[in-house]
Amino acid sequence: MFSPGTKRLSSSLRGRVQNAPGSPLTPVSENQVPRRPSTGTPAPWAPRLSVLARIPAGKKVNKDAEVDPTKPVFLGDFPPAVRDEQASILHNRLPGYVRISGGIDRATSLTWIICQDKIFIWNYLSPATSKKCIALNIPTILSEVGDKNRKVYDRSDWLVCVVSWDGTHHQNNNVTQHCNSVGIVMCSKSSRAVVYWPEIFSDSETKPLTSFASSDERDGSPVDDKTSPESLQRHGRLGNVSPGYGIFNSLIATSIPDSGKECVALACSSSGELWQFHCGPYVINRKLIYKETDSSFSQASDIGRSMGRKVALRSLSWRSPSVSLKGSSQQFFLLTDHEIRCFNLELDLKVSNLWSQEIVGNDGDLGIKKDLAGQKRIWPLDLQVDDGGKVITILVAIFCKDRVSGSSYMQYSLLTMQYKSGVDVPSGAVEPSHKRILEKKAPLQVIIPKARVEDDNFLFSMRLRVGGRPSGSAVILSGDGTATVSHYYRNSTRLYQFDLPHDAGKVLDASVLPSTDDCEEGAWIVLTEKAGMWAIPEKAVVLGGVEPPERSLSRKGSSNEGSTEEERRNLAFVGNVAPRRASSEAWNAGDRQRAVITGIARRTAQDEEAEALLGHLFNDFLMYGKVDGSLEKLRNAGAFEREGETNVFVRASKCIVDTLAKHWTTTRGAEMVATAVVSTQLMDKQQKHQKFLQFLALSKCHDELCARQRNSLQIILEHGEKLAGIIQLRELQNRISQNHSSGVGSPFPGSESDASGALWDLIQFVGERARRNTVLLMDRENAEVFYSRVSELQEVFYCLEKQLDFLVNVDLPLEIQIRRAFQLSNACVTIVQTAIQFRSDTHFWYPPPEGLTPWYCEPVVRNGLWGIASCMLHLLNEAATRVESSVKSELFTHLQVLTEVLLEAYAGAINAKVERGEEQRGLLEEYWNRRDTLLDSLYKQLKNLAAARQKDLNEGAEQEIENFQNLSAQLLGVAKRHEGYRTLWNICRDLNDFGLLKNLMRNSMGPKGGFSYFVFEQLYERKEFSRLLRLGEEFPEELSIFLQQYRDLCWLHEVFLRQFSSASDTLHRLALSQDGGSISVAEDGVEPRDLNLALSDRKRFLNLSKIAALAGNDPDAEIKMKRIEADLRILKLQEEIMDLDIEAKQNIQQQLLPPDDLIKWCLKSGSAELILRAFDIFAWTSSSFRRFHKSLLEECWKSAADQDDWGKLHQASTVEGWSDEETLRVLRDTVLFQASSRCYGPEADTFEGGFEEVLPLRQENMEPSALKESGSSVEAILMQHKYFPDAGKLMLMAIELGSVRSGIDCEEGILPME
């Protein structure tokens, strides 16, 4: 498929090539490009060694430097049982009849190969030492095709599905956990025989269930009449079949939940049939559920020969990546020759057609537009769905004919469809929807624009795989045994051909290496016929890919000869790539392209020269100890230009600590870490790294890095930290192994646990993660990779967080869980403490730390530490009554040390953020929450341990306190270091040590007064006021800050400090406080607490405020006294109002009303006496209050005027002819007179000015425009009264008499008005 079209060979020559043993089935082409191999279709075109020479026979030094990154990487060999069976085939096989088929199940990571009459199944991710291979015997199906005396097995056309009973999902990132219960469904393409093994991992040998097609089924499925029995035999379709028989071409299966190992399989045939197989433990039921009777879709055919055969159904695929029926149903897709159909499979095995959408038609927006110029026929070949079930990728072949030259060619493309947003997709048994459900996610991606014309058997043998790295890439498997990776990169399609010599055999299948990250793709892996499993690195696809070959119109050669030169440029680029993780994405909606390789940074020739020069100078230093002129040479070479991971010195340091060893051990497996080889080579790395640091110091490069590239220098030194940490971790693992083998050192004598231990499992996780992320390491053991990749030591904490549920499995006995938690906790503490100790011992090497975050303070490390700490918290609670006290004490000690390490990591991260000026609020919240959770739990366990010890020893009170003091010493230090105030307070209270409490208050200062503030708050809540105030003698300033919101005690502390003026203000605010506010005193920003004071309490506080003001003897003491007196009068007025109004007394009770609310209550009552009290309240507030509430004052005057019947008074004065004395006597009893006398009279007493400033009594401006303003004066207000036209003179006389005379003066004298 990948190679350009060349001259066809004769049929005889093709036959000879096909029957040659061990040769590939790809037709031989005439070489038109120099150095292109004569067999196969590899890219790049370069001479190749035998595949056996490319399989690593042993470990190599500096493997990353020796292996071509554009080449596939050997992943693992076949199990010995498979190799033995293959050898038997080579010895006894019959040419033309024996073929090997195989595949990879992505969901379970199981690989299967069919050899002769057996199917071999194994997990390719299992280590070589524990790789278990299951061999199942396939029931024979006799055939009389050809020689009747020869009996052959129908094994070349089997479709195989793996059914997991564990409920495993598509993305399984567990390393040591694999499927423990699996069933196998096999279906013959040609004979339609079905074979089912309910359980392959059972201890006893299980016989398979079989089901054969009935005679009616074999005879009733028409197929192309041109297919001859000879072609059936040639293509492996053996059996007693009719000439019109349709073969199966796709099979999918899923488990039925809660059914006792029952599953359902679906198969589609080339004759348009969809079959269902219900596989149970005793019988297989087969049922025809759909048949394409007649397709209304037709295409022109101008291919000749065998191109005229029509195939209706092409491929099946589940929509969901799950391998079992979830919920009540599961959807699957069916690809036909012109459309996609979606079906729904119910739990009762009923299948309903949900929707269908045409992808080959007249509308190019729906998919592929047909009948374009040059197009003759379009074949959808295969369909695949992404993990989310939203994106569908279809492999399409198009037969075209050039209108100019008349030559024919094939064009291969990928069509990517996705669900339309906002479309209601049916999910149940409804009428099939004909709405447009799908839309193009990207334009049609042409893989090969012009390729050789193939027959339909070759086309329909092609298979598609999606989901590997680079993101958006796809693998196309062809019938001739080749695998091609298609990748959209830089606005063009690039193809990478899986390239192995012919002795590797055909490619049987391709899949994706399970990633250890849930949201990341894995590398592509390939199963070969003879050479085992291989992986295709992402870098190989990106750098080794070439432009698609395009055949010239003359059909004599390729127009892609430039690919060779481009390949050379790519190979030259390989050495200029920094070894970093790549994260890539390809197609997006429309024709927009995202960045593909963001993690690969191009390195210039200057970088290469600088790195080579540094290596040369360092080697000279190792050999001769000379560093003369090294700094200047490196500076001229540009070695100080890059920062971070790409820095030349950082790369050299990383190379030292990450070097793979040549020979780790002569054995493999868990025994490898028990040898001294690992420790020796780690020590060698440490010595070499120390030499590197000495070289930097002696050559003055250290000073240059410290001045210009602090981050790079810190990374180099952190390599030393990690190396020291992993050495100590290695020693810890060695001690665990020795203790396990000798049976000592276990806190649980006689308990049974797993042989490897939690730390060993964690090492396996980390090593497997590194292997999967860097497929060049796939042929190395997990432990070997772990102890080699020193610079990635933080991955320990990542894997610890992600795999904690497996490492400390709740299904294990509690004692075993605690032991495994001990190992993990010791490992984490050992790594971090060793790194901190290394930094402390070599602090003079480090650059200024401002703004630099140590690696053990990064989020991945903190989350890992928190994960194991949370687990130990849970174990502490579980162990309360289930284990011995000594075990709980040891668990408490481990958690205490782990807590200190975790909190130190948070402190370092927060300090770095503060120094960089970054936002740290979220990090602080996380730190506080986790700190309080850990310290509170530790304190609780501390109390329990102390109580248990006291109960066991039966000691006195003094001895009990001493024991508690000894137990709490370390926890006290941790809480003090990290401001765990509640823990400090609780310990001091339990020890009853007031002196310790005061010492901690002096030494622990933080925001809001630090620990002192917390102590004051606790004492106040417990109402221990005397102790609180006594502490104020030693902490006066801290207590003053605290008591700002506790004014009921603040004035006492101020009196103690002889701050009488402040005490007076505090008492004044306290007396007038109401719901956090006050009557007439402005707040200072501190919200006081509601004390529910009675009016008598408020009067007492006001009187005390007067005394404190007098004692303070301040210049403004007189003003304070007046204000206090005014507030006292307002309080007295409220009491009088409550005495006069029973309803007000019941509603208000002891609540202090603000002045405006009190005035409104008086107006609401309608009482003349209360209205006069409202004027008194206005008098004793302030001028600002009267001005702000002027409208309320106007209402008071209106209410005062309404209290008397001025109409009757006017009528009486007119009828009776009142004298001046009589008039004065009558008006003196009116409310207007009394209000005027209180507000404007000679004896009117007000605070801060009088009423004249706000509301004059008489109207000076008598113009009509001024008179319309009712609030300009009291006179103007009265002029709005309804009786003013008649009794206005009396009303004005009343307010005028009240303003100039008191009640006594009004008894004599002349009237002021005529």
Side-chain angles (χ1 to χ4, degrees):
M1 163 188 167
F2 185 82
S3 59
T6 55
K7 182 178 179 180
R8 296 266 183 161
L9 298 178
S10 64
S11 59
S12 60
L13 182 56
R14 287 199 302 269
R16 289 195 300 270
V17 173
Q18 181 177 0
N19 295 333
S23 298
L25 298 179
T26 307
V28 178
S29 60
E30 296 180 2
N31 281 331
Q32 300 294 332
V33 179
R35 299 195 302 122
R36 182 182 298 177
S38 58
T39 60
T41 54
W45 297 299
R48 301 175 297 170
L49 296 174
S50 170
V51 69
L52 299 178
R54 293 170 58 174
I55 297 177
K59 305 304 178 189
K60 301 178 182 179
V61 183
N62 297 330
K63 176 180 178 177
D64 291 342
E66 293 185 2
V67 176
D68 187 348
T70 64
K71 297 294 185 181
V73 179
F74 182 66
L75 193 62
D77 200 1
F78 295 136
V82 178
R83 284 297 185 194
D84 295 342
E85 193 70 19
Q86 288 179 333
S88 174
I89 292 175
L90 292 176
H91 183 70
N92 300 319
R93 73 174 187 172
L94 297 175
Y97 288 91
V98 179
R99 296 180 184 176
I100 295 178
S101 61
I104 307 171
D105 184 72
R106 182 175 176 183
T108 59
S109 302
L110 292 179
T111 306
W112 57 271
I113 277 186
I114 298 178
C115 297
Q116 296 197 91
D117 59 343
K118 294 181 181 179
I119 177 171
F120 297 89
I121 305 166
W122 72 96
N123 192 312
Y124 66 87
L125 292 178
S126 299
T129 55
S130 61
K131 186 171 294 185
K132 181 180 180 181
C133 181
I134 304 297
L136 304 174
N137 294 317
I138 303 175
T140 59
I141 303 174
L142 301 182
S143 172
E144 297 180 357
V145 176
D147 187 356
K148 295 184 179 181
N149 296 324
R150 181 182 302 161
K151 297 180 180 181
V152 250
Y153 295 106
D154 180 7
R155 57 188 163 270
S156 58
D157 290 338
W158 285 106
L159 298 172
V160 179
C161 280
V162 178
V163 182
S164 173
W165 309 118
D166 294 337
T168 308
H169 294 285
H170 200 65
Q171 292 291 342
N172 181 13
N173 60 359
N174 286 342
V175 177
T176 58
Q177 277 186 315
H178 300 295
C179 289
N180 298 317
S181 183
V182 167
I184 296 293
V185 179
M186 295 177 57
C187 181
S188 172
K189 295 181 184 179
S190 56
S191 68
R192 299 192 177 186
V194 177
V195 185
Y196 173 55
W197 284 271
E199 180 58 71
I200 67 172
F201 291 130
S202 62
D203 296 333
S204 60
E205 182 179 356
T206 58
K207 293 184 179 180
L209 302 175
T210 58
S211 174
F212 301 96
S214 64
S215 59
D216 294 338
E217 178 182 339
R218 291 196 300 268
D219 296 337
S221 299
V223 77
D224 184 15
D225 295 336
K226 298 179 181 179
T227 305
S228 63
E230 288 77 9
S231 65
L232 291 176
Q233 179 180 351
R234 183 170 61 252
H235 292 288
R237 296 170 54 184
L238 302 176
N240 297 324
V241 299
S242 64
Y245 193 51
I247 66 170
F248 282 153
N249 47 33
S250 184
L251 177 71
I252 57 175
T254 183
S255 61
I256 302 176
D258 304 325
S259 61
K261 295 186 178 179
E262 294 184 17
C263 69
V264 58
L266 300 167
C268 64
S269 73
S270 59
S271 57
E273 296 175 342
L274 179 61
W275 284 81
Q276 180 188 91
F277 304 101
H278 181 195
C279 303
Y282 306 108
V283 68
I284 301 175
N285 296 318
R286 51 200 305 145
K287 178 182 178 183
L288 177 63
I289 58 176
Y290 174 82
K291 185 171 184 179
E292 185 85 7
T293 57
D294 186 19
S295 176
S296 60
F297 179 79
S298 62
Q299 303 180 76
S301 178
D302 190 19
I303 303 177
R305 221 158 47 86
S306 63
M307 285 299 181
R309 188 174 62 162
K310 171 194 163 195
V311 178
L313 306 185
R314 303 290 167 75
S315 178
L316 288 168
S317 178
W318 295 113
R319 178 181 175 182
S320 171
S322 171
V323 295
S324 64
L325 280 171
K326 296 175 65 176
S328 59
S329 63
Q330 176 80 305
Q331 295 182 10
F332 64 92
F333 296 113
L334 172 62
L335 178 66
T336 72
D337 54 2
H338 66 286
E339 66 181 2
I340 298 176
R341 293 183 179 272
C342 182
F343 292 86
N344 190 60
L345 175 64
E346 304 287 343
L347 280 176
D348 57 3
L349 304 186
K350 290 183 179 180
V351 176
S352 57
N353 189 0
L354 298 182
W355 55 264
S356 62
Q357 180 168 324
E358 191 176 59
I359 59 173
V360 179
N362 297 321
D363 190 351
D365 294 335
L366 295 180
I368 306 172
K369 185 175 178 61
K370 68 174 183 176
D371 297 332
L372 295 177
Q375 285 187 2
K376 296 302 178 183
R377 194 168 181 183
I378 302 173
W379 289 274
L381 301 178
D382 196 9
L383 174 146
Q384 289 286 300
V385 187
D386 72 332
D387 293 338
K390 297 294 185 181
V391 180
I392 304 172
T393 306
I394 303 119
L395 175 64
V396 181
I398 305 175
F399 174 69
C400 304
K401 193 168 187 178
D402 192 280
R403 292 186 297 175
V404 178
S405 63
S407 61
S408 300
Y409 58 90
M410 298 294 293
Q411 185 180 91
Y412 297 96
S413 306
L414 289 178
L415 175 63
T416 307
M417 309 288 290
Q418 65 181 2
Y419 276 89
K420 296 178 66 175
S421 59
V423 176
D424 185 16
V425 181
S427 59
V430 296
E431 289 296 326
S433 174
H434 298 285
K435 296 180 181 179
R436 292 187 178 182
I437 304 296
L438 305 176
E439 63 181 358
K440 275 187 178 180
K441 184 185 179 186
L444 189 68
Q445 179 187 353
V446 178
I447 301 175
I448 301 180
K450 290 186 178 182
R452 181 179 59 231
V453 176
E454 307 283 359
D455 59 21
D456 50 358
N457 288 330
F458 182 88
L459 291 178
F460 299 144
S461 68
M462 289 185 178
R463 291 168 292 164
L464 178 67
R465 299 289 184 267
V466 296
R469 286 204 304 242
S471 181
S473 61
V475 168
I476 297 94
L477 302 169
S478 60
D480 62 356
T482 60
T484 305
V485 184
S486 171
H487 172 46
Y488 191 77
Y489 180 50
R490 293 181 179 177
N491 297 322
S492 65
T493 300
R494 313 276 294 193
L495 299 180
Y496 177 85
Q497 182 78 24
F498 178 72
D499 175 28
L500 288 179
H502 71 273
D503 56 352
K506 298 193 302 180
V507 172
L508 301 180
D509 199 3
S511 185
V512 177
L513 187 70
S515 174
T516 55
D517 297 326
D518 294 338
C519 299
E520 291 190 10
E521 304 96 342
W524 287 109
I525 54 175
V526 174
L527 173 65
T528 64
E529 186 180 15
K530 302 177 183 178
M533 301 284 294
W534 293 74
I536 305 176
E538 180 182 13
K539 191 185 300 183
V541 177
V542 176
L543 304 181
V546 297
E547 294 288 342
E550 182 176 342
R551 200 184 65 180
S552 64
L553 296 179
S554 64
R555 302 187 63 183
K556 292 183 178 179
S558 172
S559 60
N560 198 36
E561 279 79 3
S563 297
T564 304
E565 293 301 322
E566 182 179 0
E567 174 194 346
R568 291 171 182 161
R569 291 193 298 269
N570 287 338
L571 291 176
F573 174 60
V574 169
N576 298 328
V577 178
R580 299 176 60 188
R581 284 286 310 276
S583 176
S584 56
E585 293 185 7
W587 286 99
N588 193 9
D591 56 355
R592 185 176 60 206
Q593 180 200 12
R594 294 182 182 178
V596 179
I597 301 299
T598 57
I600 297 180
R602 179 180 287 272
R603 299 176 60 227
T604 63
Q606 179 179 335
D607 297 331
E608 292 295 325
E609 294 175 1
E611 189 170 349
L613 177 61
L614 176 60
H616 175 72
L617 294 174
F618 181 52
N619 287 332
D620 287 346
F621 172 75
L622 293 177
M623 294 180 64
Y624 310 109
K626 297 180 179 179
V627 294
D628 299 338
S630 298
L631 175 62
E632 193 63 30
K633 293 177 183 178
L634 291 169
R635 185 182 292 149
N636 294 335
F640 298 94
E641 299 300 325
R642 290 186 178 270
E643 177 68 297
E645 295 284 350
T646 58
N647 180 270
V648 172
F649 297 94
V650 173
R651 286 174 54 81
S653 174
K654 181 180 174 68
C655 181
I656 292 173
V657 299
D658 285 352
T659 300
L660 288 169
K662 183 176 182 180
H663 294 292
W664 283 86
T665 179
T666 56
T667 61
R668 302 173 70 83
E671 297 80 4
M672 191 264 302
V673 293
T675 65
V677 178
V678 180
S679 298
T680 302
Q681 296 197 357
L682 288 174
M683 295 300 297
D684 292 342
K685 285 186 178 183
Q686 189 176 46
Q687 293 177 3
K688 189 172 183 179
H689 193 263
Q690 291 174 350
K691 288 286 186 180
F692 183 70
L693 294 178
Q694 294 175 8
F695 167 77
L696 295 180
L698 295 175
S699 63
K700 306 298 182 182
C701 293
H702 177 272
D703 297 339
E704 186 77 8
L705 290 171
C706 189
R708 296 178 55 184
Q709 296 175 333
R710 293 189 305 132
N711 187 33
S712 298
L713 180 57
Q714 171 150 310
I715 294 175
I716 294 172
L717 292 168
E718 286 180 347
H719 288 162
E721 296 175 9
K722 295 176 180 179
L723 191 53
I726 206 169
I727 289 175
Q728 293 301 315
L729 186 65
R730 167 70 191 91
E731 297 302 321
L732 175 62
Q733 172 63 24
N734 202 24
R735 290 195 299 271
I736 293 174
S737 300
Q738 292 175 358
N739 292 339
H740 177 75
S741 60
S742 61
V744 299
S746 172
F748 314 105
S751 62
E752 183 180 356
S753 68
D754 57 314
S756 58
L759 179 55
W760 173 254
D761 290 340
L762 179 60
I763 290 172
Q764 294 297 305
F765 277 118
V766 179
E768 182 68 14
R769 173 175 166 82
R771 291 170 66 239
R772 295 190 190 180
N773 291 335
T774 308
V775 293
L776 293 173
L777 303 173
M778 286 303 296
D779 62 327
R780 300 274 182 152
E781 290 290 339
N782 290 335
E784 180 180 353
V785 173
F786 170 80
Y787 283 113
S788 298
R789 309 289 285 209
V790 175
S791 65
E792 299 176 0
L793 186 58
Q794 63 271 16
E795 294 296 314
V796 169
F797 302 91
Y798 176 88
C799 294
L800 176 61
E801 178 194 7
K802 297 298 181 181
Q803 306 295 342
L804 188 59
D805 291 340
F806 170 77
L807 293 170
V808 186
N809 195 327
V810 294
D811 295 332
L812 295 173
L814 182 61
E815 292 81 1
I816 304 302
Q817 294 182 49
I818 294 176
R819 180 191 299 182
R820 294 176 68 86
F822 283 172
Q823 292 186 13
L824 299 175
S825 174
N826 286 338
C828 295
V829 170
T830 298
I831 292 173
V832 177
Q833 287 185 343
T834 303
I836 295 175
Q837 186 62 39
F838 182 93
R839 184 178 291 250
S840 176
D841 295 341
T842 59
H843 64 275
F844 48 86
W845 286 93
Y846 283 80
E850 289 77 12
L852 297 178
T853 305
W855 70 271
Y856 48 80
C857 298
E858 295 291 342
V860 63
V861 178
R862 301 197 307 265
N863 292 337
L865 292 172
W866 169 249
I868 184 60
S870 301
C871 176
M872 297 184 73
L873 282 177
H874 173 73
L875 292 177
L876 263 176
N877 296 329
E878 290 291 323
T881 58
R882 298 171 56 185
V883 297
E884 298 178 355
S885 298
S886 59
V887 177
K888 289 188 287 186
S889 177
E890 187 175 1
L891 186 57
F892 171 82
T893 303
H894 278 84
L895 181 58
Q896 194 169 231
V897 176
L898 184 63
T899 297
E900 185 174 7
V901 171
L902 173 60
L903 296 182
E904 286 297 330
Y906 270 103
I910 293 171
N911 290 336
K913 277 185 172 288
V914 172
E915 292 167 353
R916 293 193 298 266
E918 298 177 359
E919 174 61 36
Q920 71 272 7
R921 183 66 187 178
L923 182 60
L924 281 171
E925 292 287 350
E926 182 179 285
Y927 167 56
W928 293 335
N929 292 336
R930 294 183 173 180
R931 175 202 62 193
D932 293 343
T933 300
L934 290 170
L935 293 182
D936 290 348
S937 298
L938 286 172
Y939 171 74
K940 179 181 177 181
Q941 296 300 324
L942 177 66
K943 293 277 290 182
N944 294 337
L945 289 174
R949 180 173 296 184
Q950 171 66 17
K951 182 178 180 180
D952 294 340
L953 300 179
N954 195 18
E955 297 174 338
E958 295 182 0
Q959 189 65 32
E960 179 183 358
I961 294 177
E962 182 179 354
N963 290 335
F964 185 82
Q965 187 174 9
N966 295 333
L967 286 173
S968 62
Q970 186 175 355
L971 182 60
L972 188 71
V974 175
K976 179 181 176 182
R977 170 74 176 84
H978 295 281
E979 300 176 359
Y981 297 150
R982 185 161 56 240
T983 303
L984 295 176
W985 164 261
N986 289 332
I987 293 176
C988 292
R989 291 274 298 183
D990 292 337
L991 294 174
N992 197 22
D993 193 340
F994 203 59
L996 174 62
L997 182 69
K998 291 191 287 187
N999 289 334
L1000 292 173
M1001 292 172 65
R1002 293 189 188 95
N1003 299 328
S1004 179
M1005 302 301 295
K1008 290 187 178 182
F1011 184 49
S1012 300
Y1013 190 92
F1014 183 85
V1015 172
F1016 296 150
E1017 194 170 43
Q1018 296 299 313
L1019 292 174
Y1020 185 88
E1021 291 177 356
R1022 289 168 171 77
K1023 301 186 183 305
E1024 299 180 15
F1025 301 131
S1026 59
R1027 177 174 291 186
L1028 173 64
L1029 294 175
R1030 284 201 305 271
L1031 283 176
E1033 300 176 7
E1034 298 187 45
F1035 305 94
E1037 296 181 2
E1038 291 84 353
L1039 186 58
S1040 297
I1041 296 173
F1042 170 77
L1043 291 177
Q1044 289 300 314
Q1045 58 178 334
Y1046 303 100
R1047 290 171 180 161
D1048 54 333
L1049 296 179
C1050 183
W1051 68 274
L1052 290 171
H1053 182 59
E1054 290 171 340
V1055 169
F1056 168 77
L1057 298 177
R1058 306 187 67 80
Q1059 298 174 357
F1060 298 110
S1061 179
S1062 298
S1064 176
D1065 295 339
T1066 301
L1067 284 165
H1068 195 178
R1069 289 193 294 268
L1070 179 62
L1072 303 179
S1073 63
Q1074 178 64 38
D1075 298 330
S1078 70
I1079 292 180
S1080 56
V1081 180
E1083 292 297 321
D1084 57 1
V1086 178
E1087 294 292 335
R1089 295 190 177 185
D1090 186 11
L1091 301 174
N1092 296 321
L1093 298 175
L1095 294 180
S1096 58
D1097 296 330
R1098 298 179 187 277
K1099 291 174 65 177
R1100 185 173 67 254
F1101 285 139
L1102 287 174
N1103 289 324
L1104 289 173
S1105 179
K1106 289 174 62 177
I1107 296 173
L1110 290 173
N1113 198 23
D1114 289 343
D1116 57 347
E1118 184 177 354
I1119 299 176
K1120 287 185 178 181
M1121 294 289 293
K1122 290 182 178 180
R1123 179 66 262 170
I1124 295 171
E1125 187 64 33
D1127 289 330
L1128 278 171
R1129 292 193 179 189
I1130 293 176
L1131 282 178
K1132 184 177 180 181
L1133 286 171
Q1134 179 170 340
E1135 290 179 337
E1136 294 176 356
I1137 292 171
M1138 293 171 63
D1139 292 339
L1140 293 173
D1141 192 339
I1142 302 301
E1143 181 183 358
K1145 188 173 184 178
Q1146 293 176 351
N1147 293 331
I1148 300 174
Q1149 296 179 355
Q1150 293 297 317
Q1151 180 182 359
L1152 177 66
L1153 288 182
D1156 53 340
D1157 291 344
L1158 197 58
I1159 293 171
K1160 292 177 183 177
W1161 190 274
C1162 294
L1163 294 176
K1164 179 182 177 182
S1165 68
S1167 170
E1169 187 66 27
L1170 292 182
I1171 290 175
L1172 291 175
R1173 294 290 191 276
F1175 287 104
D1176 292 337
I1177 296 173
F1178 268 113
W1180 292 109
T1181 52
S1182 63
S1183 59
S1184 60
F1185 179 86
R1186 290 188 289 270
R1187 187 175 296 105
F1188 186 77
H1189 294 88
K1190 183 179 179 182
S1191 60
L1192 188 61
L1193 181 60
E1194 296 172 8
E1195 293 295 327
C1196 290
W1197 282 108
K1198 292 179 182 178
S1199 296
D1202 291 337
Q1203 297 304 311
D1204 299 289
D1205 191 345
W1206 291 100
K1208 290 182 179 181
L1209 292 177
H1210 171 68
Q1211 185 178 4
S1213 66
T1214 304
V1215 174
E1216 298 176 5
W1218 289 350
S1219 62
D1220 291 344
E1221 291 79 4
E1222 184 67 17
T1223 302
L1224 179 60
R1225 184 187 62 78
V1226 173
L1227 293 179
R1228 186 180 58 186
D1229 295 333
T1230 63
V1231 177
L1232 281 180
F1233 178 89
Q1234 298 178 45
S1236 177
S1237 176
R1238 295 189 183 193
C1239 297
Y1240 300 97
E1243 296 181 1
D1245 194 2
T1246 60
F1247 182 75
E1248 288 186 354
F1251 285 86
E1252 287 285 347
E1253 299 176 359
V1254 179
L1255 190 68
L1257 185 67
R1258 298 298 299 269
Q1259 184 72 28
E1260 297 178 358
N1261 187 0
M1262 301 303 295
E1263 296 181 359
S1265 59
L1267 293 176
K1268 291 181 180 180
E1269 299 180 5
S1270 61
S1272 59
S1273 64
V1274 177
E1275 181 180 356
I1277 295 172
L1278 297 178
M1279 291 174 67
Q1280 307 298 322
H1281 198 273
K1282 62 181 179 178
Y1283 290 117
F1284 187 81
D1286 297 329
K1289 184 176 181 180
L1290 289 176
M1291 298 171 73
L1292 294 177
M1293 186 183 299
I1295 63 173
E1296 188 66 29
L1297 287 173
S1299 66
V1300 297
R1301 297 190 180 195
S1302 65
I1304 299 177
D1305 294 338
C1306 292
E1307 295 180 359
E1308 298 180 359
I1310 61 174
L1311 295 175
M1313 295 181 61
E1314 297 181 0

